Structure formats: structure tokens, C-alpha cells
Amino acid sequence: EVRLVESGGGLVQPGGSLRLSCAASGFTFSAMSMTWVRQAPGQELQWVGSISTGGTRTHYSASVKGRFTISRDNAKNTLYLQLDNLKSEDTALYSCMQGYFDDEPTARVLGRFTRGQGTQVSVSS
């Protein structure tokens, strides 16, 4: 059974940083591309970015490119999301899932994948 557990969220001021983690189990993590998504209150699921199995390829949503960085540690079965220069519009529940996208997938497509319970990121002064 695929299990994904996100952590690291919190309340941060605009311009601040956070590092999210996603602990994976129940599948061969090193053989799966991975993706971060987010969902703000009242809004649809949104793709944040994806990383290849070995971590050599990444793609990001235009709204986070240059501010967020996805990485992974296959030895620890863990996916990471470094969030820098946070803005109020980044406030959302962040989750991880399997898969790789290099464009903007629809919420319907993203909703087909198993996600963890998510970790809340709130950006406010």
C-alpha cells in the first residue's frame, strides 16, 4: 500500500522559507518520479512541480519557479520541497504524490493520484 506522510509546514512571514518533507513507503521510491501539489481553501488542486527518479530532472509551475526547489533522498525514501521567498498566495495545504509532469496538469488529472494527508503552509505577516 502506498503511504505518503508530509511534514514541515507552518506559519511564516512573507519572504520567509520552509522545507517540507514527504516520507514514502509501500513502494520502490527510487523507481518512481514524484510530484508536489497544493490546494488553497476554495480552490482546485494545483501542480507545484515534479522530479525524476534520480533527481536530475525537475519541472515547476510558473508561479513557483525560481522560488521553490524539489529534491529527493532515495536512500531515505524521502522527497523534499524547499520554499523560499514565500508569498501570501503560497498559503495552501501541500501534498506529495507519485508521477511526473512537465506542464500544467488539470486538477482532475491530479485528483486521480494517491496523496498524503498534507502539511499546511500559511504565509502571513
Side-chain angles (χ1 to χ4, degrees), residues 67-121:
R67 300 187 299 119
F68 291 8
T69 304
I70 299 175
S71 61
R72 64 191 296 162
D73 186 335
N74 286 342
K76 295 182 179 179
N77 289 351
T78 303
L79 177 73
Y80 301 101
L81 179 65
Q82 177 69 38
L83 299 81
D84 295 317
N85 191 21
L86 281 159
K87 304 176 181 180
S88 58
E89 52 263 42
D90 295 319
T91 295
L93 184 70
Y94 285 72
S95 304
C96 61
M97 52 184 265
Q98 297 173 336
Y100 190 98
F101 303 92
D102 56 10
D103 55 9
E104 294 276 354
T106 64
R108 173 178 283 191
V109 168
L110 294 173
R112 297 172 184 163
F113 293 82
T114 298
R115 303 188 305 276
Q117 84 290 345
T119 185
Q120 179 67 37
V121 172

